[in-house]
Amino acid sequence: METPVLVFIGFMGAGKTTGARAAAAALGVRAIDTDREVEQRIGTSIEDYFASHGERAFREIEEDVVAEVLETPPAPVISIGGGAIGSARVRELLARHTVVMLDVDEPTAWRRAGGKRRPLARDRERFAALHAERAPVYEALADAVLLDGGAETVRRAAGALRRIPTGVKVLWAVAGGVNYPVYVGDVLDRDFWPVRGRRFMLTDETVGPVYGERIPELTATFAMPAGEAAKTLSNAEVLLRGLAAAGMDHDDHVVALGGGVVGDVAGFCAAVYQRGVGVVQVPTTLVSQVDSAYGGKTGVDLPEGKNYVGAYHQPRAVLADPRTLATLPAAELAAGWAEVVKTALIAGGPLWTRVRRGEGIVDRDLVLACARTKLAVVAGDERDAGRRQVLNLGHTVGHAIETATGYARYRHGEAVGLGLLAALTLSGQPELRSEVSDLLSGYGLPTTLDPSVDHEAVLTAVQRDKKRRGGRVGFVLVEAPGDVRTGAPVAERDVRTALGGLMK
Ligand SMILES: NC(=O)c1ccc[n+]([C@@H]2O[C@H](COP(=O)([O-])OP(=O)(O)OC[C@H]3O[C@@H](n4cnc5c(N)ncnc54)[C@H](O)[C@@H]3O)[C@@H](O)[C@H]2O)c1
């Protein structure tokens, strides 16, 4: 395979020039920046040219320069001006190369680039509008999105960025000092594996026989029973002893092939086996592809509570191939939609706009958008100290329902759906609650609690969860899609009312 040229794109202040230089240094090659090439061509600074000739004249020259560079790349790493993607010719040429987007949020971009000499960064409102307008264009063009475009992250990612299988998109995740790639798309069956070392696969008895062969060059395979009831310490022990008997050591890694249960248990085994070995998550359910495979929470249940034993252990890589969802039973797919709706409520914006249409189409972009939302939250708070708690939207009541019903009556996603409705009642959002309720029932998810469920047991589980967190942590409430508040104190009687709302 020919070595691809890396082209860095992104908004003003994203750090494209520095990023390209860092990548080039890591790869031992040269980098060029098209803004500098443009300045050489015009013989003055871009700011001065803009001021004397206007934006249109500048864009014409920029288009020519960038197109020439992309047609015959003079270096293996290139950074291009933030506005160059406005040209259709440039966008077309980008398809020949590996395009890397350095993500930057608007406030950070403004802090770095605003108010200074750059002609398009003088007025904050215009700057923000341009950011909102261009972000989806960069995203659509990118083969890889680096959620943190710092030079150190780029340096670590550089090698992997040159080996992205076609048709696959990469998100580069950062959490607690750990970096890892998330591959989304047709990534299985390609003879592609992102991590060195021997592979020890942990899976379940349903998924292993169907997809096990798609993991290349396995050293050993161990399967646990399928389903939440198997998420136990005793099953983890069986798997751990299997790994030990097979001679796994620190240079090896675990492959977690399956849904969220396998991901949590196998991730937990990887976290504790010999005090920690690597794990590559290969999620095969919608729940796991849009949520559980990312962020590094691993664990097992105790009869006393869900996920009562566990560890934070970030994966070395995630391979999410939506084609595996084709064999997923309809009820499991529906359970995944509850997590999608939750994620869309947290994200707001284009993801919510898409999800509220209720089309029920799962594709690479949906998985990517959900993964991106979760990873962006986790990046700022690996260990649930603050912002990460937004991801628990719907989970306080959801987990309590699961615990109170012995993990047997509802799937995790179904319980989360009910929990979301309770959270929207507590948020004082009757219209949004009704919209979400319609979405959930459209996917065949329950919107009322089975009358056999003991309310008091659910309330007790909510209280125990609160106690576990030192009584400090309140509910996650929704002001509006994209505007989610954590730690809201809620009186017991209001929780009762919200549960009552699930009885109708
Ligand atoms: N770690 C986290 O951050 C996090 C986040 C959300 C959920 N979770 C956990 O995830 C678990 C739920 O995960 P889940 O909903 O994926 O359930 P699951 O892992 O039990 O999978 C559901 C069922 O589908 C089967 N299956 C999986 N992939 C299949 C495929 N491609 N084709 C056919 N059958 C397939 C499984 O064998 C299982 O029977 C819960 O334990 C929950 O606590 C963890």
Side-chain angles (χ1 to χ4, degrees):
M1 196 175 98
E2 211 181 300
T3 312
V5 169
L6 297 183
V7 183
F8 284 77
I9 63 170
F11 198 61
M12 285 174 266
K16 298 180 289 291
T17 315
T18 323
R21 273 198 217 121
L27 298 168
V29 298
R30 214 166 63 81
I32 63 143
D33 178 44
T34 61
D35 278 355
R36 299 291 82 76
E37 304 287 311
V38 169
E39 287 186 332
Q40 273 184 9
R41 177 90 45 109
I42 56 187
T44 177
S45 73
I46 290 176
E47 292 78 24
D48 288 348
Y49 193 83
F50 233 84
S52 55
H53 292 73
E55 178 166 2
R56 201 151 153 206
F58 164 72
R59 293 286 175 218
E60 277 169 19
I61 295 176
E62 182 187 47
E63 180 181 50
D64 283 344
V65 171
V66 175
E68 280 165 31
V69 164
L70 295 179
E71 256 163 27
T72 329
V77 180
I78 297 164
S79 52
I80 68 171
I85 47 101
S87 145
R89 189 166 142 220
V90 166
R91 290 198 300 274
E92 224 166 85
L93 285 164
L94 281 172
R96 297 185 188 178
H97 306 295
T98 297
V99 179
V100 181
M101 172 188 177
L102 299 185
D103 194 28
V104 66
D105 57 34
E106 189 272 336
T108 310
W110 177 256
R111 196 162 31 78
R112 291 181 186 160
K116 296 186 202 155
R117 290 168 55 223
R118 297 180 197 230
L120 298 177
R122 289 178 191 145
D123 174 79
R124 179 72 185 261
E125 226 169 275
R126 191 165 166 224
F127 186 80
L130 202 58
H131 183 273
E133 184 191 308
R134 282 192 193 160
V137 185
Y138 295 131
E139 297 253 9
L141 291 167
D143 297 294
V145 176
L146 270 60
L147 296 173
D148 158 15
E152 176 56 18
T153 307
V154 176
R155 191 186 64 70
R156 291 202 217 176
L161 294 176
R162 291 225 276 192
R163 292 189 304 272
I164 302 175
T166 41
V168 174
K169 291 219 178 197
V170 176
L171 285 173
W172 197 267
V174 179
V178 178
N179 277 237
Y180 58 92
V182 171
Y183 297 86
V184 184
D186 299 350
V187 65
L188 299 182
D189 307 316
R190 316 265 312 225
D191 236 356
F192 167 77
W193 199 253
V195 175
R196 286 209 197 110
R198 292 188 302 166
R199 300 157 206 168
F200 290 71
M201 183 166 81
L202 304 184
T203 182
D204 73 26
E205 286 160 2
T206 304
V207 179
V210 186
Y211 294 109
E213 282 186 358
R214 302 196 185 189
I215 309 298
E217 296 166 38
L218 287 168
T219 299
T221 297
F222 303 94
M224 58 187 266
E228 185 74 31
K231 198 173 155 182
T232 61
L233 266 179
S234 53
N235 275 323
E237 184 183 0
V238 171
L239 296 174
L240 287 164
R241 295 189 64 188
L243 296 176
M248 185 186 189
D249 69 31
H250 268 117
D251 297 329
D252 307 325
H253 59 273
V254 166
V255 178
L257 175 77
V261 167
V262 166
D264 280 10
V265 177
F268 175 66
C269 290
V272 297
Y273 184 80
Q274 295 183 354
R275 300 203 177 87
V277 292
V279 58
V280 173
Q281 294 280 354
V282 186
T284 62
T285 61
L286 187 55
V287 167
S288 53
Q289 293 197 357
V290 299
D291 189 341
S292 65
Y294 322 103
K297 277 192 185 177
T298 73
V300 295
D301 301 333
L302 291 184
E304 287 75 10
K306 203 173 147 57
N307 300 327
Y308 250 45
V309 176
Y312 288 96
H313 192 55
Q314 300 296 339
R316 299 270 297 277
V318 181
L319 275 61
D321 190 330
R323 292 173 304 176
T324 58
L325 304 177
T327 51
L328 197 62
E332 298 297 347
L333 197 65
W337 275 102
E339 297 282 10
V340 173
V341 172
K342 175 202 86 171
T343 309
L345 283 171
I346 294 168
L351 181 57
W352 171 246
T353 306
R354 174 177 171 171
V355 167
R356 75 190 301 194
R357 287 201 294 263
E359 294 159 343
I361 298 165
V362 179
D363 55 17
R364 186 183 68 180
D365 289 346
L366 183 83
V367 174
L368 263 176
C370 291
R372 193 184 196 315
T373 302
K374 176 155 184 185
L375 290 169
V377 172
V378 173
D381 176 23
E382 189 206 5
R383 303 213 161 204
D384 247 349
R387 176 75 190 150
R388 185 167 181 162
Q389 281 160 27
V390 299
L391 298 171
N392 290 335
L393 175 62
H395 280 61
T396 311
V397 168
H399 278 171
I401 291 171
E402 283 185 280
T403 307
T405 51
Y407 309 115
R409 172 65 188 81
Y410 293 105
R411 289 179 177 81
H412 175 71
E414 292 170 343
V416 167
L418 291 165
L420 276 181
L421 296 178
L424 289 167
T425 305
L426 291 167
S427 305
Q429 299 283 349
E431 278 172 29
L432 191 55
R433 186 193 187 284
S434 144
E435 182 172 1
V436 168
S437 179
D438 288 349
L439 275 174
L440 298 176
S441 60
Y443 290 117
L445 287 163
T447 54
T448 54
L449 258 184
D450 193 292
S452 67
V453 177
D454 178 359
H455 263 198
E456 290 308 314
V458 178
L459 269 172
T460 307
V462 169
Q463 293 308 339
R464 186 185 296 145
D465 189 46
K466 201 168 159 196
K467 235 201 232 139
R468 175 166 73 133
R469 295 158 190 269
R472 279 172 293 117
V473 182
F475 273 78
V476 184
L477 301 182
V478 183
E479 299 283 333
D483 185 1
V484 174
R485 194 156 48 93
T486 62
V490 167
E492 187 181 317
R493 71 168 188 290
D494 292 333
V495 181
R496 269 182 203 282
T497 311
L499 284 178
L502 295 175
M503 293 307 282
K504 283 162 203 137

